């Protein structure tokens, strides 16, 4: 056997055959995505779609009746209109499910249905001369009306199909980001020595920008961070922040030194409109805390000995504001029964119907009256008072540390 047929076959495989396979794969992928989009629709959305199909194609029934020069009984008119609309729904349903062979069955059923309807109509009187100018004009106007109606519906399907694929892709990406966020921000409930810790974050949307985390080693660091903005971009920066913290804590134990290093790592990578507020508590081997607050709401310190709540305000700008930034720290000492509260502004910047801001005072009062309760119940009480004041518009994150 000569090499020419083999070489010819190889060239066909690498050019026309390969292109055909790629084209089929692309068509099949797009078809699968469109099918996935339609199948992801809720029941009410599907009902609205099929109602639109019903009323659009019932128009074809009326056009068919208009072009018939014979007198027709009311039942036959209703049957023609309903038949046009209902069979259109079956065609649409077959297209949604990608059951193309169903359309053949539907087409045969449609022919049989209209044959029976016409035959049972019996002998009918003429309303117009079939060859009159009026009847000819009605026929052509009806025909053009059917063509433009079907063409318009087809283009609408193409448009919604293309946009539906884009929506489904974006929705899938957001769903993936949401799953990543849930893994990055799990609920914290730990006992370390004489300290009990509880941290929880409730995002306002599908992807949050708040972070509560605990890094353990010879000593341990707990912190809360709040990325400006919402959505995927905020979630990405939040993930980068957590990675930078966990890399830095090993080298630098003090809270301010950790923020210095994290800022240097993140500033070249973030977009100009994003920044991060953070509240960091580092507990040393002696059980004392160093606190750093970078543009963050104040730390609340409930002191059991005096039954009051002391505020420790922010000491520095948020991370990412200036190219070169340094951060301060202060020392916090806890006695048995004391409670530390780090929160994000999603709890304080809640507004009622009159646009009044809740502020931090109700949070302080709630912490003071619930300080002895289990930490998850303290979190629930703070969130309850915030939701009672107004709708949640921002992520709500809380870190609680109690000295036993």
């Amino acid at each position: 056997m000569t090499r020419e047929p083999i070489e010819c076959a190889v060239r066909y495989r690498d050019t026309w055959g390969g292109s055909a396979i790629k084209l089929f794969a692309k068509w099949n992928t797009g078809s699968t995505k469109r099918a996935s989009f339609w199948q992801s629709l809720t029941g009410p959305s599907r009902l609205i779609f099929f109602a639109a199909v019903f009323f659009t194609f019932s128009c074809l029934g009326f056009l068919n009746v208009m072009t018939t020069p014979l007198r027709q009984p009311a039942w036959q008119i209703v049957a023609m209109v309903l038949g046009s609309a209902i069979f259109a729904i079956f065609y649409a349903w077959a297209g949604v499910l990608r059951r193309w062979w169903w359309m053949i069955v539907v087409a045969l059923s449609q022919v049989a249905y209209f044959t029976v309807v016409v035959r049972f109509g019996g002998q009918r009187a003429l309303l117009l001369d079939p060859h009159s100018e009026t009847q000819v004009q009605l026929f052509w106007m009806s025909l053009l009306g059917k063509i433009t109606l079907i063409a318009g519906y087809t283009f609408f399907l193409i448009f919604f199909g293309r946009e539906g694929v884009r929506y489904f892709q974006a929705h899938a990406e957001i769903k993936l980001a949401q799953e990543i966020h849930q893994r990055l921000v799990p609920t914290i409930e730990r006992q370390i020595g004489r300290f009990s810790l509880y941290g929880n974050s409730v995002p306002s949307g599908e992807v949050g920008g708040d972070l509560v985390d605990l890094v353990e080693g010879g000593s341990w660091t707990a912190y809360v961070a709040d990325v400006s903005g919402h959505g995927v971009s905020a979630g990405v920066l939040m993930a980068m922040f957590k990675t930078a913290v966990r890399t830095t804590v090993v080298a630098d134990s003090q809270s301010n030194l950790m923020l210095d290093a994290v800022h240097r790592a993140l500033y070249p990578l973030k977009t100009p409109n994003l920044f991060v507020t953070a509240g960091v508590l580092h507990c040393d081997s002696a059980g004392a805390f160093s606190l750093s607050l970078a543009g963050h709401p104040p730390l609340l310190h409930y002191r059991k000995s005096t039954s009051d709540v002391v505020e420790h305000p922010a000491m520095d700008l948020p991370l990412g504001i200036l190219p070169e930034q340094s951060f301060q720290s202060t020392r916090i000492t806890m006695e048995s029964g004391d409670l530390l509260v780090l929160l994000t502004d999603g709890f304080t910047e809640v507004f009622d119907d009159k646009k009044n801001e809740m502020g931090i005072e109700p949070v302080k009062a709630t912490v003071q009256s619930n300080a002895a309760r289990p930490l998850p119940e303290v979190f629930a009480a703070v969130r309850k008072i915030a939701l009672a004041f107004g709708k949640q518009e921002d992520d709500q994150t809380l870190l609680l540390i109690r000295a036993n």
Side-chain angles (χ1 to χ4, degrees):
M1 178 182 294
T2 63
R3 295 178 56 86
E4 289 185 3
I6 298 176
E7 291 174 354
C8 183
V10 170
R11 283 197 300 272
Y12 173 82
R13 180 198 66 188
D14 293 338
T15 54
W16 298 103
S19 300
I21 291 172
K22 291 177 182 177
L23 182 61
F24 174 77
K26 184 177 180 180
W27 174 85
N28 189 55
T29 301
S31 180
T32 302
K33 289 179 179 178
R34 280 187 284 270
S36 299
F37 166 73
W38 287 113
Q39 291 169 6
S40 69
L41 293 178
T42 61
S45 295
R46 291 186 182 185
L47 184 61
I48 292 171
F49 169 71
F50 288 122
V53 173
F54 179 90
F55 287 109
T56 299
F57 282 90
S58 63
C59 182
L60 289 180
F62 286 113
L63 290 173
N64 284 328
V65 172
M66 286 173 59
T67 55
T68 302
L70 302 173
R71 185 185 302 277
Q72 299 183 63
W75 72 265
Q76 194 175 43
I77 295 174
V78 172
M80 295 288 286
V81 172
L82 289 180
S84 299
I86 292 172
F87 279 105
I89 289 177
F90 285 130
Y91 283 121
W93 183 241
V96 165
L97 297 181
R98 294 298 190 262
R99 302 291 191 269
W100 306 119
W101 63 270
W102 286 11
M103 293 191 178
I104 300 175
V105 177
V106 175
L108 294 175
S109 302
Q110 185 177 15
V111 170
Y113 172 83
F114 283 111
T115 300
V116 170
V117 169
V118 171
R119 181 165 297 179
F120 273 89
Q123 296 294 326
R124 293 166 290 172
L126 277 172
L127 295 175
L128 290 172
D129 180 359
H131 303 291
S132 66
E133 291 185 6
T134 301
Q135 181 57 35
V136 171
Q137 179 172 309
L138 283 174
F139 171 79
W140 284 108
M141 291 300 100
S142 172
L143 178 62
L144 293 174
K146 294 174 187 177
I147 293 173
T148 54
L149 177 64
I150 294 174
Y153 176 74
T154 301
F155 280 114
F156 267 119
L157 282 185
I158 294 172
F159 170 77
F160 288 123
R162 289 170 60 89
E163 294 304 309
V165 170
R166 290 176 56 191
Y167 164 81
F168 187 75
Q169 290 174 334
H171 183 73
E173 291 174 0
I174 292 174
K175 200 71 177 174
L176 176 61
Q178 183 181 19
E179 293 175 0
I180 294 173
H181 176 266
Q182 290 171 350
R183 290 183 178 273
L184 287 173
V185 195
T187 300
I188 297 170
E189 195 163 5
R190 292 280 290 114
Q191 181 72 37
I192 305 176
R194 70 186 187 97
F195 297 104
S196 301
L197 293 89
Y198 181 82
N200 202 347
S201 180
V202 182
S204 59
E206 293 178 311
V207 182
D210 279 10
L211 177 62
V212 58
D213 192 22
L214 170 65
V215 185
E216 298 183 63
S219 55
W220 55 271
T221 300
Y223 65 93
V224 170
D226 183 2
V227 179
S228 61
H230 301 281
V232 176
S233 59
V236 170
L237 183 57
M238 180 266 292
M240 293 167 60
F241 184 90
K242 181 171 182 175
T243 302
V245 168
R246 289 188 166 243
T247 304
T248 305
V249 164
V250 176
D252 300 316
S253 59
Q254 292 298 313
S255 56
N256 62 316
L257 297 178
M258 184 205 80
L259 288 180
D260 288 346
V262 171
H263 174 79
R264 289 194 298 270
L266 287 186
Y267 189 85
L269 303 177
K270 73 173 193 67
T271 56
N273 62 319
L274 291 179
F275 59 86
V276 184
T277 70
V280 182
L281 283 163
H282 173 75
C283 182
D284 61 24
S285 56
F289 290 90
S290 64
L291 166 69
S292 293
L293 289 173
H296 207 69
L299 170 79
L300 303 181
H301 183 181
Y302 169 79
R303 299 182 298 186
K304 185 179 180 181
S305 59
T306 55
S307 298
D308 62 351
V309 177
V310 178
E311 289 186 34
H312 295 271
M315 297 168 259
D316 299 292
L317 293 173
L319 288 83
I321 298 295
L322 303 173
E324 297 293 334
Q325 288 181 236
S326 60
F327 301 89
Q328 307 173 58
S329 67
T330 187
R331 193 171 179 83
I332 303 291
T333 303
M334 294 183 70
E335 298 177 358
S336 179
D338 284 8
L339 179 65
L340 297 180
V341 181
L342 268 176
L343 72 164
T344 57
D345 57 15
F347 280 108
T348 58
E349 296 180 1
V350 178
F351 298 89
D352 62 14
D353 295 337
K354 298 180 180 179
K355 303 302 180 182
N356 297 314
E357 186 179 77
M358 187 178 82
I360 202 167
E361 292 302 323
V363 177
K364 292 171 63 176
T366 304
V367 169
Q368 190 173 18
S369 59
N370 293 273
R373 297 174 64 183
L375 297 183
E377 294 182 16
V378 178
F379 170 82
V382 174
R383 181 162 159 75
K384 181 179 179 181
I385 197 72
L387 292 177
F389 190 87
K391 181 182 178 182
Q392 179 183 355
E393 299 289 350
D394 197 1
D395 304 339
Q396 295 180 341
T397 303
L398 202 66
L399 172 66
L400 302 167
I401 302 175
R402 175 183 287 143
N404 299 314

